[in-house]
Amino acid sequence: MKPAICEQFGIDFPLFAFSHCRDVVAAVTNAGGFGVLGGTAYTPAQLDQELAWIDDQVGGKPYGVDLIVPATYEGKGEKLTADDLAGRIPQTARDYVAEVLAAHGIEVEQARMGGASLSGNTGRELLDVAMSHPIKLIANALGVPPDYMIEAGKRHGVPVAALVGAKEHAVKQVHAGVDVIVAQGTEAGGHCGEVTTMVLIPEVLEALAAIGSDIPVLAAGGIVTGRQMAAAVAMGAAGAWTGSVWLTTEEAETAPHTVQKFLAATSRDTIRSAGRTGKPARQLKSDWTDAWLPQEGGQKPLPLPLQSMIAEPVIRRIDVLAAQGHPGAQALATYFVGQGVGLMNKVKPAREVVREFIEDYLAAAERLTNSLPD
Amino acid sequence: MKPAICEQFGIDFPLFAFSHCRDVVAAVTNAGGFGVLGGTAYTPAQLDQELAWIDDQVGGKPYGVDLIVPATYEGKGEKLTADDLAGRIPQTARDYVAEVLAAHGIEVEQARMGGASLSGNTGRELLDVAMSHPIKLIANALGVPPDYMIEAGKRHGVPVAALVGAKEHAVKQVHAGVDVIVAQGTEAGGHCGEVTTMVLIPEVLEALAAIGSDIPVLAAGGIVTGRQMAAAVAMGAAGAWTGSVWLTTEEAETAPHTVQKFLAATSRDTIRSAGRTGKPARQLKSDWTDAWLPQEGGQKPLPLPLQSMIAEPVIRRIDVLAAQGHPGAQALATYFVGQGVGLMNKVKPAREVVREFIEDYLAAAERLTNSLPD
């Protein structure tokens, strides 16, 4: 008999793979796992094209889409244009960023700081595009999904997943109507809370049981091997939600110098910093993360989305220069990745990663069985 | 067949229980686990008395002792008296502590700040006392054990364990000659590193395998249930090293108001702060931890052992006042405990905790087995 989560999603192995790269999504789905495309960076038209490509590749096998539609951020609920928001960025913050860059031999026009932002409208359009494809899961990566996402999920029969970093948030999500909880520990790449996966999984499961909910809880945060996934399932998780491990697959579009940084990094080369988006997110330590709290002497980041607006255009420029070998840019370059980066030591095809996960998972289960008294 | 770790230590279940309370140590050992007495706070004569009591209780069953002999701290290697060290505490630090206390309606004479310290000589004397009892493990909680500990272990045939929070430290410890590694994640109470248990265990095991070492690795950090212990064993740990969970047992000498704080706390009520000892240690958040970095606006703590010297006498006073119901003291009171405190919801006998661990461990193993495809 298949585990319930495999029956529910029509998969062989409950390994969920979040990636911004459609090739990874298709490869994982085709290998018996469940690929999830991170869709936020796309325009609606681009997302449509990516999903059409995936549809062609997977031949009806299940995959999902992940969007970031945060519940609260600066300017939400007000009718604000991007310019209005940009106007809320203090001049001192622009000056500080210019100073950090100058110290690394980089100049970025201040006019370019203030570009990227998170727009509620785009989120809704991306959702509509996603729902026009045969997706089997829609996930919201930050905060409680807006009502229209929950409603669209119900209307299209697509389960809605939400990422949480604390048991209180899991309870709130269940009350809001989500179908799957992704409980993500502090070791995760990108936005994350303070609680570690080892504590969060049992804490969330206990909190959900206390309100009579038995919806599936996927474990996320630091999981880059089958033995860690087995650990999460032993604790009661239905499966694993992974992200970082796909960044060093052959299919990923990760820049070569970033791949090299990942392969060389240990778990301690990451830091939970709000220096990119205004909310704490784990990433590689660099001179950029050193420039912001909690690093000693660092500046306090602006709130979401103002910090993104100031940081992302600059970081895009840094990435371009770093790829060209600019030493200041290479010292500043950072990238969202979890502590599991310490266990990522080789570039492999995504299919191979799935295969190794399964083997390692089976070996871990055997190890635990062998530890039992006769 | 028993697992190797159970054969090696003559136990039924590889649950190692660190406690400052002899009753917990004896209860765990008598229940088939392995009790470890935290011995650093005792004088040599007191430790001798505690261990004699344990010897009487356990009737030859195995237990161990844990000491803190840090490899490096302010003044180590120099011939310094406590007064010399106290003289290195800046007046500004004394003034700051006095200010924090005054804001909470508490006065402590500055002369009393500067009492507690870690003395290398006491460590050696405690070790001699420990080795005069039939202990089956000696552990060093901070840094590489001094040569004389490794040598004493060999001479007496007592395995030496060392706590580490990073794979590099594990490798260093093996080269120094330790027999057991306790790999302790950032979720642990007391001194801890940055890496979470979920990532640290496989990272340490991989690093030890790379240098050809197969010594047992015990998992520590956040483990307060059998399912978490099973998770660690699935990842390759030989067993679990626990601390926090014993603080709310009936046998523990934890003050009643502290027990109430623990039962009410969630995992997010802890923080990794250097405000008590000068090295990052996880504890309950309070106005005291708020007064020090990394909390915003907090002061930078002094290095070890100067911060302990200034903080511990003050915290002892705070604990006394807090127990009497002083509101300022209750806001300041803190206590070393891990994120697992979020799962500690009931006072139980230590024997009962061991029994529940075993049951929960078995259920977790069954859960993992049931997740396997036929």
Side-chain angles (χ1 to χ4, degrees):
Chain A
M1 213 183 70
K2 274 190 180 185
I5 187 89
C6 292
E7 289 291 348
Q8 181 181 358
F9 287 98
I11 51 181
D12 299 326
F13 187 61
L15 174 61
F16 291 71
F18 169 88
S19 174
H20 292 105
C21 171
R22 65 187 189 183
D23 301 77
V24 171
V25 172
V28 171
T29 284
N30 282 328
F34 191 102
V36 180
L37 186 73
T40 292
Y42 297 111
T43 64
Q46 285 168 337
L47 181 64
D48 194 41
Q49 202 180 325
E50 300 294 298
L51 298 184
W53 184 90
I54 294 174
D55 292 337
D56 275 353
Q57 298 295 313
V58 301
K61 289 203 192 73
Y63 73 94
V65 171
D66 178 286
L67 301 173
I68 300 187
V69 190
T72 54
Y73 57 78
E74 183 86 9
K76 198 188 175 186
E78 309 168 53
K79 294 274 177 201
L80 288 178
T81 64
D83 282 350
D84 291 336
L85 275 172
R88 298 198 177 182
I89 299 174
Q91 185 56 40
T92 50
R94 294 175 188 271
D95 291 345
Y96 178 67
V97 169
E99 226 173 79
V100 169
L101 294 175
H104 289 79
I106 300 174
E107 208 177 313
V108 171
E109 279 176 52
Q110 291 212 358
R112 291 181 57 181
M113 300 177 196
S117 86
L118 296 157
S119 149
N121 283 332
T122 305
R124 191 187 285 256
E125 289 162 32
L126 291 172
L127 179 69
D128 289 343
V129 168
M131 287 298 183
S132 74
H133 291 264
I135 62 170
K136 296 291 182 290
L137 183 76
I138 182 88
N140 188 44
L142 205 61
V144 174
D147 288 345
Y148 66 81
M149 186 184 273
I150 302 272
E151 283 155 19
K154 286 209 191 336
R155 205 163 54 243
H156 295 271
V158 174
V160 178
L163 271 72
V164 304
K167 68 171 183 176
E168 295 82 359
H169 302 164
V171 168
K172 214 185 281 183
Q173 297 277 8
V174 169
H175 288 316
V178 308
D179 305 290
V180 176
I181 292 287
V182 180
Q184 176 166 279
T186 189
E187 51 268 73
H191 291 117
C192 60
E194 298 165 72
V195 188
T196 72
T197 304
M198 183 67 94
V199 172
L200 185 65
I201 301 305
E203 227 183 357
V204 164
L205 285 166
E206 190 181 79
L208 295 195
I211 59 165
S213 169
D214 63 352
I215 66 170
V217 173
L218 300 174
I223 302 178
V224 300
T225 64
R227 70 192 63 191
Q228 294 168 300
M229 178 172 169
V233 172
M235 290 194 287
W241 178 276
T242 55
S244 300
V245 70
W246 311 104
L247 294 170
T248 50
T249 55
E250 284 178 6
E251 290 87 347
E253 286 155 4
T254 316
H257 72 282
T258 310
V259 170
Q260 290 314 311
K261 273 196 175 184
F262 287 162
L263 297 180
T266 78
S267 54
R268 292 198 293 165
D269 293 321
T270 70
I271 185 173
R272 188 171 170 263
S273 165
R276 282 192 70 164
T277 69
K279 271 191 186 285
R282 189 169 296 280
Q283 54 202 283
L284 284 186
K285 270 179 200 162
S286 77
D287 285 3
W288 179 263
T289 59
D290 280 350
W292 307 95
L293 285 178
Q295 294 299 77
E296 218 183 306
Q299 189 109 334
K300 187 179 173 179
L302 302 174
L304 183 83
L306 302 184
Q307 184 72 14
S308 284
M309 293 174 69
I310 201 165
E312 286 307 322
V314 166
I315 286 176
R316 277 200 298 275
R317 179 76 188 133
I318 288 170
D319 283 343
V320 169
L321 292 173
Q324 294 167 0
H326 186 297
Q330 289 186 337
L332 282 165
T334 177
Y335 204 91
F336 293 129
V337 74
Q339 286 190 342
V341 72
L343 294 160
M344 291 157 45
N345 305 318
K346 213 181 146 208
V347 174
K348 298 166 200 165
R351 197 188 56 248
E352 176 78 5
V353 173
V354 176
R355 202 186 53 74
E356 287 185 5
F357 250 86
I358 296 173
E359 275 178 15
D360 200 40
Y361 184 94
L362 295 174
E366 199 181 335
R367 192 155 44 223
L368 184 56
T369 300
N370 289 343
S371 78
L372 301 178
D374 291 330
Chain B
M1 208 183 71
K2 273 191 181 185
I5 187 89
C6 292
E7 289 292 348
Q8 181 181 358
F9 287 98
I11 51 181
D12 298 325
F13 187 61
L15 174 61
F16 290 71
F18 169 87
S19 175
H20 292 104
C21 170
R22 64 187 189 182
D23 302 79
V24 170
V25 172
V28 171
T29 285
N30 281 328
F34 192 103
V36 180
L37 187 73
T40 292
Y42 296 111
T43 64
Q46 285 168 338
L47 182 63
D48 195 42
Q49 201 180 327
E50 300 295 298
L51 299 185
W53 184 89
I54 294 173
D55 292 337
D56 274 352
Q57 299 293 313
V58 301
K61 291 204 192 72
Y63 73 94
V65 171
D66 178 285
L67 301 173
I68 300 186
V69 189
T72 55
Y73 57 78
E74 182 86 11
K76 197 186 175 186
E78 309 169 54
K79 293 273 176 204
L80 288 178
T81 64
D83 281 351
D84 291 336
L85 276 172
R88 298 197 176 182
I89 299 174
Q91 184 57 40
T92 50
R94 294 175 187 270
D95 291 345
Y96 178 67
V97 169
E99 226 173 79
V100 170
L101 293 175
H104 289 80
I106 299 174
E107 208 177 315
V108 171
E109 279 175 52
Q110 290 212 358
R112 292 181 58 180
M113 300 177 194
S117 85
L118 296 158
S119 149
N121 283 332
T122 305
R124 190 186 285 256
E125 289 163 32
L126 291 173
L127 179 69
D128 289 342
V129 168
M131 287 298 185
S132 73
H133 291 265
I135 61 169
K136 296 290 182 292
L137 183 75
I138 183 86
N140 189 43
L142 205 60
V144 175
D147 289 344
Y148 66 79
M149 186 185 273
I150 303 271
E151 284 156 19
K154 286 209 194 332
R155 204 164 54 241
H156 294 271
V158 174
V160 178
L163 271 73
V164 304
K167 68 171 181 176
E168 296 82 0
H169 301 165
V171 168
K172 212 183 283 183
Q173 297 276 7
V174 169
H175 288 316
V178 308
D179 306 290
V180 176
I181 291 287
V182 180
Q184 176 166 278
T186 189
E187 52 268 73
H191 291 116
C192 61
E194 298 165 72
V195 188
T196 72
T197 303
M198 182 66 94
V199 172
L200 185 66
I201 301 306
E203 226 183 359
V204 164
L205 286 166
E206 190 181 79
L208 295 195
I211 58 165
S213 169
D214 63 351
I215 67 169
V217 173
L218 300 174
I223 301 178
V224 300
T225 64
R227 68 193 63 190
Q228 295 168 299
M229 178 172 169
V233 171
M235 290 193 288
W241 178 276
T242 55
S244 299
V245 70
W246 311 105
L247 294 171
T248 50
T249 55
E250 283 178 6
E251 289 86 347
E253 286 155 5
T254 317
H257 73 282
T258 310
V259 170
Q260 290 314 312
K261 273 196 176 184
F262 287 161
L263 297 180
T266 77
S267 54
R268 292 198 293 164
D269 293 321
T270 70
I271 185 172
R272 187 171 169 265
S273 165
R276 281 191 70 165
T277 69
K279 272 191 185 286
R282 189 168 297 279
Q283 53 202 284
L284 284 186
K285 270 180 201 162
S286 77
D287 285 4
W288 180 264
T289 58
D290 280 350
W292 306 96
L293 285 178
Q295 294 299 75
E296 217 183 307
Q299 189 110 334
K300 188 180 172 179
L302 301 174
L304 184 82
L306 302 185
Q307 184 72 14
S308 283
M309 293 174 71
I310 201 166
E312 286 307 322
V314 166
I315 286 175
R316 277 201 297 275
R317 178 77 188 134
I318 288 170
D319 283 344
V320 169
L321 291 173
Q324 293 168 0
H326 186 296
Q330 290 187 337
L332 283 165
T334 177
Y335 205 91
F336 293 129
V337 74
Q339 287 190 343
V341 72
L343 294 160
M344 291 157 45
N345 305 318
K346 213 182 146 205
V347 174
K348 296 168 200 163
R351 196 187 57 246
E352 177 77 7
V353 174
V354 176
R355 202 185 54 74
E356 288 185 4
F357 251 86
I358 296 173
E359 275 177 17
D360 200 41
Y361 185 94
L362 296 174
E366 199 181 335
R367 193 155 44 223
L368 184 55
T369 300
N370 290 342
S371 78
L372 301 178
D374 291 329

